[in-house]
Amino acid sequence: MERVRKCRSCAREGKIIGHGLCPACYHRERRKKLALRRSSPDGGLIVRLDFQPMAHLLEEIRKRAGHELRDVNLQILWELSKSLGAGV
């Protein structure tokens, strides 16, 4: 049974295939998600962190990354793995 409603994204009326989206919007969102996965350096999970509440912590991590000659993103992962006991 075909569902005909307004698309949640573009507001055009037509066939809805998933998540309240028309085929064009559904596939556009799907491609965005795939592109985000591919943009990961190791092809794995992408974690986005908001350091706004603790900006001083980000500055400290940037300093450590500079001393250890690492990219800031890799330094964040290193610090997380150390604190969780998974690294070294």
Side-chain angles (χ1 to χ4, degrees):
M1 185 169 137
E2 200 171 285
R3 295 180 285 174
V4 177
R5 290 186 293 197
K6 280 190 176 183
C7 175
R8 196 182 71 191
S9 180
C10 67
R12 283 184 254 162
E13 194 161 319
K15 180 180 172 186
I16 301 299
I17 63 170
H19 304 285
L21 301 171
C22 68
C25 293
Y26 179 84
H27 292 298
R28 185 178 313 114
E29 289 296 317
R30 190 172 145 268
R31 283 190 300 271
K32 277 185 202 175
K33 288 178 185 175
L34 287 174
L36 282 178
R37 270 193 225 138
R38 286 189 198 122
S39 68
S40 172
D42 63 351
L45 179 67
I46 296 175
V47 178
R48 297 181 192 276
L49 299 173
D50 180 15
F51 281 98
Q52 203 168 13
M54 298 182 70
H56 66 281
L57 181 58
L58 179 60
E59 289 306 313
E60 179 64 30
I61 290 174
R62 282 187 177 142
K63 286 179 192 174
R64 289 182 188 178
H67 291 296
E68 297 181 20
L69 303 174
R70 283 194 185 107
D71 178 55
V72 175
N73 294 328
L74 293 176
Q75 186 67 31
I76 292 170
L77 290 174
W78 171 252
E79 298 288 338
L80 285 172
S81 69
K82 278 192 335 186
S83 69
L84 297 174
V88 189

